[in-house]
C-alpha cells in the first residue's frame, strides 16, 4: 500500500513533508523528488478519478507539483501538508473539468491559487497512519447506501452543487442535502471512533 | 433550532463546495461576522473533506511525468549564477570615502525596502498573468478540440457510423470517421458507468485480429459525451466495426466486458 509511507505526527512536531517544503525554498531538487515520490500516487489517483483521462490528469499533476516547486514559500509549514496538497490538486482538477464543460459557477470563490486548509488537523487524525485512515475512509463511505455514496462522490469528484446532484439523481433537494451532511458526519464519527 | 445551528449545518457542505449560491452567501456572511465556533468547525470540515480523496482508486502516474518534472525543476534550480564580489578592507586614508559609504548604505537600505516591495508586486502580477495565461491556453485547447470535432461532423468526406445498443433500454450512439481528421463518437442520455468504471472505444480489425484499444470517456451528469480520436490506430478501410465496453478507470489493453454498443464500418 503506497500510502503506508506516511507516518502519524503530532501537531507540535515538524513533519517530514514540512521539512522537505522548507528545503524547496533553497531550490533543493532532491527534496522535490522525495516529495514527488511520497505523494505523486495519491495526487494522481485523485486527479485521474476526477478527470478520467490519463494524459489530462498527468498535465494537472505536473501543474500541481510545479506550483509546489515555484511557490513553496506560500505553504505554511504549521499546517498539515497532505490535506493541503490534496485540496490544491482537487481544486486544480475541478477547474480543468469546469473549463472543459463550461460550467462557470459556484466554486469561483473557493479556487484560490493556494487553498485554505485546517491550520491544525483534528486530534483524531493522530489515531491512524495515512494508509490505515485511507482504508477506514473507504470502508466508512462504502458502508453508506449507494445513492448517498453517489451524492458525496458527485460533490467531491465532479464538483456538483446540491441542486445539480438532486437533478442528476432525480431526488428531492432536501434529501440530497441531508445525505451529504449525514454522510460526512458519519465519516467524522467513524474516524473519531478509532481515536 | 436557532440561527447559529442553521449555519452550523451548512459548514460541511461549504467545505465540500457543494452549496448552492444562496446558502453559500449566507454562510460566508456568517463567517465574515467573526463566529469563532463556525470558523473552527470549518477548519475541521476542510480536513475531513480532504480525506475523501482516499476514495479514488489507486493509480500510478507514468515514469515520463516524473522525468519531465525533474527536467524542468533541475533547469530552474540551475538558473542564472550570481557573481559575488569579495571586498577587501577599507584603507585608513579613505575615511572620507567610508563616511560617504555609510550615507550611501542608509540610502540603500531605504531603497532596498522600496525595491523589495516593487519586486513583490511584480512577482504577484507575473503569477496572476501566468495563471491567466494557463486558463486562456486551456480555453484555446478546448476551442480547438471543439472546432476539430465540428469539422469531422460537417465534412462530406466523413462517414457516419451508427452504434445501436445491445440493451434496447440504452440510447443509440453515433460516430463520424474522417479519413484525415480522425474519429468522433458522441451520445446523449447515456447512463453513468458503475463506480470506478469508464466507457472505452475499440476498433475491430477486418483481418480478425485483436480489438484495438482507443479512448476512454465518461458521460457528464446529463448523460452527454463526445470523445475524439485524432489518430485512430488503424485505417477506416482496415476496420470492420467499432465497439464500446465498460472498463476499469484508466482503460484496458483488451476488453474485459461484453460490448454494450457495436457499429459496423461500411
Amino acid at each position: 500500500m503506497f500510502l503506508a509511507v506516511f507516518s502519524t505526527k503530532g501537531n507540535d512536531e515538524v513533519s517530514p513533508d514540512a521539512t522537505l517544503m522548507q528545503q524547496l525554498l533553497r531550490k533543493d531538487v532532491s527534496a522535490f523528488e522525495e516529495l514527488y515520490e511520497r505523494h505523486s500516487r495519491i495526487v494522481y489517483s485523485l486527479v485521474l478519478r476526477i478527470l478520467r483521462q490519463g494524459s489530462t490528469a498527468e498535465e494537472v499533476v505536473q501543474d500541481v507539483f510545479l506550483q509546489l516547486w515555484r511557490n513553496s514559500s506560500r505553504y505554511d509549514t504549521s499546517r498539515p501538508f497532505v490535506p493541503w496538497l490534496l485540496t490544491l490538486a482537487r481544486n486544480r482538477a475541478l477547474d480543468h473539468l469546469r473549463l472543459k464543460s463550461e460550467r462557470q459557477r459556484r466554486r469561483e470563490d473557493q479556487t484560490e491559487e493556494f487553498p485554505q486548509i485546517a491550520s491544525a488537523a483534528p486530534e483524531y487524525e493522530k489515531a491512524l497512519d495515512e494508509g490505515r485512515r485511507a482504508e477506514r475512509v473507504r470502508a466508512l463511505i462504502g458502508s453508506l447506501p449507494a445513492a448517498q455514496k453517489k451524492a458525496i462522490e458527485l460533490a467531491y469528484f465532479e464538483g456538483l452543487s446540491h441542486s445539480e446532484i438532486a437533478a442528476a439523481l432525480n431526488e428531492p433537494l432536501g434529501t440530497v442535502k441531508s445525505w451529504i451532511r449525514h454522510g460526512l458526519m458519519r465519516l467524522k464519527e467513524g474516524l473519531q471512533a478509532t481515536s | 433550532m436557532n440561527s447559529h445551528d442553521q449555519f452550523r449545518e451548512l459548514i460541511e457542505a461549504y467545505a465540500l463546495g457543494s452549496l448552492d449560491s444562496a446558502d453559500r452567501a449566507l454562510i460566508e456572511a456568517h463567517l465574515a461576522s467573526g463566529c469563532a465556533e463556525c470558523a473552527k468547525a470549518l477548519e475541521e470540515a476542510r480536513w475531513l473533506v480532504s480525506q475523501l480523496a482516499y476514495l479514488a482508486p489507486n493509480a500510478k502516474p507514468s515514469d515520463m511525468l516524473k522525468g519531465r518534472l525533474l527536467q524542468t525543476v533541475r533547469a530552474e534550480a540551475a538558473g542564472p549564477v550570481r557573481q559575488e564580489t569579495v571586498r577587501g578592507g577599507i584603507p585608513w586614508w579613505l575615511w572620507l570615502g567610508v563616511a560617504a559609504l555609510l550615507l550611501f548604505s542608509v540610502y540603500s537600505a531605504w531603497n532596498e525596502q522600496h525595491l523589495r516591495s516593487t519586486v513583490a508586486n511584480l512577482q504577484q502580477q507575473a503569477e496572476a498573468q501566468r495563471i491567466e495565461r494557463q486558463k486562456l491556453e486551456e480555453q484555446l485547447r478546448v476551442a480547438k478540440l471543439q472546432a476539430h470535432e465540428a469539422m469531422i461532423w460537417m465534412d462530406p468526406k466523413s462517414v457516419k457510423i451508427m452504434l445501436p445498443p445491445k440493451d434496447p433500454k440504452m440510447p443509440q450512439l453515433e460516430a463520424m470517421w474522417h479519413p484525415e481528421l480522425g474519429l468522433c463518437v458522441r451520445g446523449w442520455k447515456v447512463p453513468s458507468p458503475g463506480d470506478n468504471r469508464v466507457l472505452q472505444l475499440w476498433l475491430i480489425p477486418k483481418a480478425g485480429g485483436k480489438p484495438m484499444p482507443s479512448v476512454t470517456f465518461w458521460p457528464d451528469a446529463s448523460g452527454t459525451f463526445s470523445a475524439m480520436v485524432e489518430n485512430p490506430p488503424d485505417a477506416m478501410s482496415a476496420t470492420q466495426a467499432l465497439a464500446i465496453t465498460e472498463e476499469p478507470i484508466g482503460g484496458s489493453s483488451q476488453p474485459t466486458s461484453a460490448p454494450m454498443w457495436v457499429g459496423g464500418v461500411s
Side-chain angles (χ1 to χ4, degrees):
Chain A
M1 168 67 72
F2 67 87
L3 290 165
V5 297
F6 303 124
S7 61
T8 305
K9 289 288 164 190
N11 292 337
D12 52 348
E13 294 175 46
V14 178
S15 72
D17 292 321
T19 305
L20 291 169
M21 284 299 285
Q22 284 170 337
Q23 289 171 328
L24 286 199
L25 291 171
R26 300 194 299 270
K27 296 298 173 195
D28 182 337
V29 175
S30 62
F32 176 82
E33 189 170 2
E34 191 172 342
L35 271 174
Y36 181 85
E37 287 295 338
R38 289 167 71 87
H39 304 300
S40 60
R41 292 186 76 157
I42 180 61
V43 170
Y44 179 71
S45 300
L46 168 62
V47 173
L48 180 64
R49 173 64 182 80
I50 291 171
L51 297 173
R52 296 182 184 273
Q53 275 201 332
S55 58
T56 317
E58 288 204 347
E59 281 175 28
V60 172
V61 172
Q62 179 169 317
D63 182 43
V64 168
F65 276 94
L66 282 179
Q67 278 192 64
L68 287 191
W69 169 253
R70 289 170 180 159
N71 301 303
S72 50
S73 62
R74 307 266 297 273
Y75 168 67
D76 177 352
T77 51
S78 67
R79 291 172 180 240
F81 176 76
V82 176
W84 177 83
L85 177 64
L86 295 176
T87 306
L88 176 65
R90 179 190 177 227
N91 285 351
R92 282 285 159 276
L94 287 178
D95 283 346
H96 202 92
L97 195 65
R98 189 177 55 184
L99 264 178
K100 187 178 174 187
S101 59
E102 298 174 358
R103 285 197 298 253
Q104 294 286 355
R105 32 139 255 287
R106 196 182 61 265
R107 288 184 55 265
E108 285 166 5
D109 295 339
Q110 301 193 4
T111 54
E112 303 145 5
E113 177 67 2
F114 281 83
Q116 293 180 2
I117 190 70
S119 57
E123 278 300 304
Y124 54 84
E125 185 206 26
K126 299 175 192 171
L128 296 172
D129 63 39
E130 289 280 339
R132 289 173 59 208
R133 183 146 36 82
E135 288 172 10
R136 187 89 180 116
V137 169
R138 288 183 188 130
L140 286 164
I141 297 295
S143 69
L144 297 174
Q148 188 175 6
K149 180 186 172 201
K150 184 75 180 169
I152 291 172
E153 288 180 336
L154 285 173
Y156 185 72
F157 291 117
E158 302 197 25
L160 297 191
S161 68
H162 284 156
S163 52
E164 288 169 325
I165 295 166
L169 299 181
N170 199 23
E171 294 286 351
L173 180 60
T175 303
V176 167
K177 286 183 179 181
S178 174
W179 276 349
I180 289 178
R181 174 163 165 72
H182 289 120
L184 289 174
M185 287 296 98
R186 185 158 167 184
L187 175 64
K188 179 179 173 182
E189 288 159 10
L191 290 173
Q192 280 174 330
T194 56
S195 62
Chain B
M1 183 187 295
N2 63 34
S3 61
H4 178 80
D5 291 335
Q6 288 173 331
F7 292 126
R8 182 62 194 80
E9 288 206 342
L10 298 175
I11 291 286
E12 281 73 23
Y14 180 65
L16 185 59
S18 63
L19 285 181
D20 289 300
S21 54
D23 282 342
R24 195 178 70 237
L26 276 177
I27 188 68
E28 284 177 349
H30 179 66
L31 288 166
S33 74
C35 176
E37 190 185 330
C38 284
K40 185 172 184 302
L42 178 59
E43 287 201 345
E44 189 166 320
R46 281 182 167 140
W47 181 88
L48 185 71
V49 164
S50 74
Q51 302 305 296
L52 294 173
Y54 297 120
L55 295 177
N58 294 342
K60 181 181 180 299
S62 71
D63 292 339
M64 286 196 311
L65 173 62
K66 183 181 174 185
R68 282 200 305 271
L69 268 169
L70 286 178
Q71 192 178 21
T72 305
V73 161
R74 284 192 182 113
E76 291 184 10
V81 179
R82 261 188 278 171
Q83 297 293 324
E84 296 290 342
T85 307
V86 179
R87 290 183 173 275
I90 302 171
W92 63 270
W93 47 269
L94 281 180
W95 281 113
L96 192 62
V98 170
L101 194 62
L102 281 172
L103 278 174
F104 180 71
S105 297
V106 171
Y107 167 76
S108 293
W110 173 84
N111 197 36
E112 183 187 353
Q113 189 62 34
H114 177 70
L115 284 173
R116 275 175 198 255
S117 167
T118 307
V119 167
N121 282 338
L122 288 172
Q123 282 176 334
Q124 278 184 350
Q125 286 174 18
E127 184 61 14
Q129 284 174 352
R130 188 186 68 78
I131 294 163
E132 185 60 25
R133 192 179 67 243
Q134 277 184 344
K135 285 184 179 172
L136 288 172
E137 283 172 356
E138 177 58 19
Q139 284 172 339
L140 181 64
R141 193 185 69 77
V142 171
K144 277 183 178 173
L145 191 67
Q146 287 172 341
H148 193 133
E149 284 181 6
M151 284 170 69
I152 292 177
W153 284 98
M154 294 172 68
D155 195 298
K157 283 202 282 185
S158 295
V159 175
K160 192 167 190 177
I161 302 158
M162 302 309 294
L163 288 101
K166 293 292 181 187
D167 179 349
K169 292 177 192 161
M170 299 287 255
Q172 177 166 266
L173 310 183
E174 58 184 24
M176 196 69 98
W177 195 334
H178 188 284
E180 288 101 36
L181 297 176
L183 170 63
C184 195
V185 187
R186 66 187 180 185
W188 296 269
K189 297 183 179 176
V190 179
S192 262
D195 281 351
N196 305 322
R197 309 276 288 174
V198 292
L199 297 175
Q200 184 166 8
L201 177 68
W202 303 88
L203 278 68
I204 316 293
K206 275 184 180 165
K210 289 182 179 175
M212 305 280 281
S214 189
V215 289
T216 59
F217 48 92
W218 175 265
D220 64 18
S222 69
T224 302
F225 77 86
S226 178
M228 193 174 73
V229 189
E230 287 188 54
N231 298 298
D234 223 339
M236 197 185 331
S237 59
T239 303
Q240 182 182 3
L242 302 179
I244 294 173
T245 62
E246 200 175 283
E247 300 295 333
I249 189 168
S252 304
S253 56
Q254 56 186 16
T256 62
S257 65
M260 300 170 74
W261 290 271
V262 178
V265 179
S266 57

